[in-house]
Coordinates of all heavy atoms in Angstrom, one line a residue:
G951 N 8.5 -35.6 -2.0 CA 8.2 -36.1 -3.3 C 8.1 -35.0 -4.4 O 7.9 -35.4 -5.6
P968 N -0.5 -42.2 9.6 CA -1.4 -41.5 10.4 C -1.0 -40.1 10.8 O -1.8 -39.3 11.2 CB -1.5 -42.4 11.7 CG -0.2 -43.2 11.7 CD 0.2 -43.4 10.3
L970 N 0.9 -38.1 8.7 CA 1.3 -37.3 7.6 C 0.4 -36.0 7.5 O -0.8 -36.1 7.5 CB 1.0 -38.1 6.3 CG 1.5 -37.4 5.0 CD1 3.0 -37.2 5.0 CD2 1.1 -38.3 3.8
N972 N 1.7 -33.0 5.4 CA 2.0 -32.3 4.2 C 2.4 -33.3 3.1 O 3.4 -33.9 3.2 CB 3.1 -31.3 4.4 CG 3.4 -30.4 3.2 OD1 2.8 -30.6 2.1 ND2 4.2 -29.4 3.4
L973 N 1.6 -33.4 2.1 CA 1.8 -34.3 1.0 C 2.1 -33.4 -0.3 O 1.1 -32.8 -0.8 CB 0.7 -35.3 0.7 CG 0.8 -36.2 -0.5 CD1 2.1 -37.1 -0.4 CD2 -0.4 -37.0 -0.7
P985 N -6.0 -41.6 -5.6 CA -6.6 -42.7 -4.9 C -7.7 -42.4 -4.0 O -7.7 -41.4 -3.3 CB -5.4 -43.2 -4.1 CG -4.2 -42.7 -4.8 CD -4.6 -41.4 -5.4
R990 N -9.1 -40.8 3.4 CA -9.0 -41.4 4.7 C -7.8 -40.9 5.5 O -7.5 -41.4 6.6 CB -9.0 -42.9 4.6 CG -10.2 -43.5 4.0 CD -10.3 -45.0 4.2 NE -9.2 -45.8 3.6 CZ -9.3 -46.3 2.4 NH1 -10.4 -46.1 1.7 NH2 -8.3 -47.0 1.9
F1012 N -14.4 -36.4 0.7 CA -13.5 -35.4 1.3 C -14.0 -34.9 2.6 O -13.2 -34.2 3.3 CB -13.4 -34.2 0.3 CG -12.3 -34.5 -0.8 CD1 -12.7 -34.8 -2.1 CD2 -11.0 -34.4 -0.5 CE1 -11.8 -35.0 -3.1 CE2 -10.1 -34.6 -1.5 CZ -10.5 -34.9 -2.8
L1028 N -7.6 -34.1 -15.1 CA -8.8 -34.5 -14.3 C -10.1 -34.2 -15.0 O -10.2 -33.1 -15.7 CB -8.7 -33.9 -13.0 CG -7.5 -34.2 -12.1 CD1 -7.6 -33.4 -10.8 CD2 -7.4 -35.7 -11.8
L1039 N -15.3 -28.1 3.0 CA -14.2 -28.0 4.0 C -13.8 -26.5 4.3 O -14.1 -25.7 3.5 CB -13.0 -28.8 3.5 CG -13.2 -30.3 3.3 CD1 -11.9 -30.8 2.6 CD2 -13.5 -31.0 4.5
L1055 N -19.6 -24.8 -9.8 CA -18.9 -24.7 -8.6 C -19.9 -24.8 -7.4 O -20.8 -24.0 -7.3 CB -18.2 -23.3 -8.5 CG -17.4 -23.0 -7.3 CD1 -16.3 -24.0 -7.1 CD2 -16.9 -21.6 -7.3
S1061 N -19.1 -20.8 2.0 CA -19.2 -20.9 3.4 C -17.9 -21.0 4.1 O -17.8 -20.9 5.4 CB -20.1 -22.0 3.9 OG -21.4 -21.9 3.3
A1081 N -23.7 -17.0 -5.4 CA -24.0 -15.6 -5.1 C -23.3 -15.1 -3.9 O -23.0 -13.9 -3.8 CB -25.5 -15.5 -5.0
G1111 N -13.1 -6.5 1.4 CA -12.1 -5.5 0.9 C -10.7 -6.0 0.7 O -9.8 -5.1 0.7
D1115 N -6.8 -9.7 -7.0 CA -6.8 -10.2 -8.3 C -8.2 -10.7 -8.7 O -8.7 -11.6 -8.0 CB -5.9 -11.4 -8.4 CG -4.6 -11.1 -9.2 OD1 -4.6 -10.1 -9.9 OD2 -3.7 -12.0 -9.2
I1119 N -11.9 -13.5 -17.4 CA -12.0 -13.4 -18.9 C -12.5 -14.7 -19.6 O -12.3 -15.8 -19.1 CB -10.6 -13.0 -19.4 CG1 -9.5 -14.1 -19.1 CG2 -10.1 -11.7 -18.9 CD1 -8.2 -13.8 -19.7
S1122 N -19.1 -16.1 -19.9 CA -20.4 -15.5 -20.4 C -21.1 -14.7 -19.3 O -22.3 -14.7 -19.2 CB -21.3 -16.6 -21.0 OG -20.8 -17.2 -22.1
I1127 N -21.0 -4.6 -13.7 CA -19.8 -4.8 -12.8 C -20.2 -4.4 -11.4 O -20.8 -3.3 -11.2 CB -18.7 -3.9 -13.3 CG1 -18.3 -4.3 -14.8 CG2 -17.5 -4.0 -12.4 CD1 -17.2 -3.4 -15.4
V1140 N -7.9 -6.3 -12.8 CA -9.3 -6.5 -13.0 C -9.4 -6.9 -14.5 O -9.2 -6.1 -15.4 CB -10.1 -5.3 -12.8 CG1 -11.6 -5.6 -13.0 CG2 -10.0 -4.8 -11.3
N1144 N -14.1 -10.1 -22.8 CA -14.8 -11.2 -23.5 C -15.8 -11.9 -22.7 O -15.7 -13.1 -22.4 CB -13.8 -12.2 -24.1 CG -12.9 -11.6 -25.2 OD1 -13.3 -10.6 -25.8 ND2 -11.8 -12.2 -25.5
R1146 N -20.2 -10.8 -21.4 CA -21.4 -10.2 -21.8 C -21.9 -9.1 -20.8 O -23.1 -8.9 -20.7 CB -22.5 -11.2 -22.0 CG -22.2 -12.3 -23.1 CD -23.2 -13.4 -23.2 NE -22.9 -14.4 -24.1 CZ -23.6 -15.5 -24.3 NH1 -24.7 -15.7 -23.7 NH2 -23.1 -16.4 -25.2
P1150 N -23.2 0.7 -17.0 CA -22.1 1.7 -16.9 C -20.9 1.2 -16.1 O -21.0 0.2 -15.4 CB -22.8 2.9 -16.1 CG -23.8 2.2 -15.3 CD -24.3 1.0 -16.1
D1153 N -18.3 4.3 -11.0 CA -17.6 5.5 -10.9 C -16.4 5.4 -10.0 O -15.3 5.9 -10.3 CB -18.5 6.7 -10.5 CG -17.8 8.0 -10.7 OD1 -17.4 8.4 -11.8 OD2 -17.6 8.7 -9.6
L1158 N -9.1 3.4 -7.5 CA -8.4 2.4 -6.8 C -6.9 2.6 -7.0 O -6.4 2.6 -8.2 CB -8.7 1.0 -7.4 CG -10.1 0.5 -7.0 CD1 -10.5 -0.8 -7.8 CD2 -10.3 0.3 -5.5
E1165 N -8.9 -4.7 -17.9 CA -9.3 -5.2 -19.2 C -10.8 -5.3 -19.2 O -11.4 -6.2 -18.5 CB -8.6 -6.6 -19.4 CG -7.1 -6.5 -19.5 CD -6.5 -7.9 -19.8 OE1 -7.3 -8.9 -20.0 OE2 -5.3 -8.0 -19.8
G1173 N -21.8 4.2 -21.3 CA -21.6 5.3 -20.4 C -20.2 6.0 -20.6 O -19.7 5.9 -21.7
S1176 N -15.0 8.1 -16.1 CA -15.1 9.1 -15.1 C -13.8 9.9 -15.0 O -12.7 9.4 -15.4 CB -15.3 8.4 -13.7 OG -15.1 9.3 -12.7

Side-chain angles (χ1 to χ4, degrees):
L970 186 64
N972 186 351
L973 176 61
R990 297 197 296 271
F1012 277 103
L1028 299 175
L1039 299 174
L1055 177 62
S1061 298
D1115 249 352
I1119 61 177
S1122 296
I1127 298 174
V1140 180
N1144 292 341
R1146 299 176 182 176
D1153 191 60
L1158 292 172
E1165 297 180 7
S1176 170

